[in-house]
Amino acid sequence: MKEILGCIRRADQDYHMIESGDRVAVGVSGGKDSVLLLYALSLYRRFSPHPFELEALTLTTGLEPFDLQPIRALCEKIDVPYTVRETEIGRIVFEERHEKNPCALCSKMRRGALNDLCNERGLNKLALGHHRDDALETLLMSMLYEGRIHTFQPVTRLTRSGMTQIRPMIYVSEKDVIHYVKALSLPVVPSPCPANGYTRREDMKALLDHICRSVPNAREQLLTALRNDEQYALWDKPKPDA
């Protein structure tokens, strides 16, 4: 886990993600990314330069099967409070709205529900399990489908809700996520989403793999481009106080 924790510490230092006294929620979907993030942050809190509290939150979506007992057991093992909020988001998206692009609406509804739950729990930061490859796939989707150069930020401050979203695994590769989840035997709950595995993101994942067969270090170069301070940087680091 040293490699994962090193990436999280670097991201924290670069973007000032966690401050002393923060109450951090991890949005746990049950997938490999969020489960590894939860486990990693439970370790990181032991040596973080800024002491923080940690909780785990999960939203159900009204879709079955979705057995959360393995996640409950993990939270008990690592001593992290766990809250589950029942919702009907999946049923609304797929059965009522019949969305052609269900991911966008589902993501928006889940993010709003998570923010509300954080506020109820007195949690001021929401940690999401996006990793390096997620950021690069989002960049490709934005360029190819929206005609703009854009990806999500390492830190997003939501003025309306007062919540701050952080992504501590932005420097972690998906390959390493898969490796450590298997090596640590972390529990992964299969997604009940009907669109799982059939999205534009999967197409971008395949495209990125294709690019890397011709340019083996393409992922590293694209990540460098996001952080390049000598030109317009999509991921601007906070400037030190004068």
Side-chain angles (χ1 to χ4, degrees), residues 12-120:
D12 186 15
Q13 291 174 342
D14 284 351
Y15 298 101
H16 310 304
M17 292 185 174
I18 298 175
E19 300 169 316
S20 295
D22 277 345
R23 303 195 68 227
V24 180
V26 178
V28 181
S29 67
K32 66 184 191 311
D33 306 330
S34 61
V35 169
L36 181 63
L37 176 61
L38 172 63
Y39 183 75
L41 286 181
S42 75
L43 299 179
Y44 184 61
R45 63 182 171 177
R46 299 177 185 176
F47 62 88
S48 168
H50 304 290
F52 65 96
E53 297 179 38
L54 187 66
E55 292 197 20
L57 308 177
T58 294
L59 302 177
T60 67
T61 61
L63 301 175
E64 299 295 341
F66 194 47
D67 179 13
L68 293 172
Q69 187 54 40
I71 306 298
R72 293 185 190 277
L74 174 64
C75 289
E76 291 178 5
K77 179 180 178 181
I78 62 178
D79 192 26
V80 172
Y82 184 41
T83 301
V84 177
R85 171 61 52 85
E86 304 286 340
T87 82
E88 294 294 317
I89 291 173
R91 188 184 60 78
I92 291 170
V93 170
F94 289 100
E95 297 178 14
E96 292 186 9
R97 297 284 293 269
H98 301 288
E99 287 287 319
K100 293 182 179 179
N101 183 18
C103 296
L105 178 61
C106 183
S107 176
K108 182 178 180 179
M109 293 178 70
R110 287 189 294 109
R111 202 65 49 81
L114 274 175
N115 289 339
D116 290 343
L117 185 52
C118 284
N119 284 325
E120 290 178 22

Side-chain angles (χ1 to χ4, degrees), residues 215-230:
V215 185
N217 66 334
R219 286 181 170 87
E220 289 75 14
Q221 291 293 78
L222 286 169
L223 181 65
T224 299
L226 289 179
R227 304 176 63 248
N228 192 339
D229 293 331
E230 295 181 0

Side-chain angles (χ1 to χ4, degrees), residues 110-137:
R110 287 189 294 109
R111 202 65 49 81
L114 274 175
N115 289 339
D116 290 343
L117 185 52
C118 284
N119 284 325
E120 290 178 22
R121 298 285 303 167
L123 304 164
N124 66 309
K125 289 187 176 173
L126 174 60
L128 303 172
H130 297 123
H131 48 66
R132 180 197 67 183
D133 295 63
D134 287 327
L136 302 183
E137 290 156 13

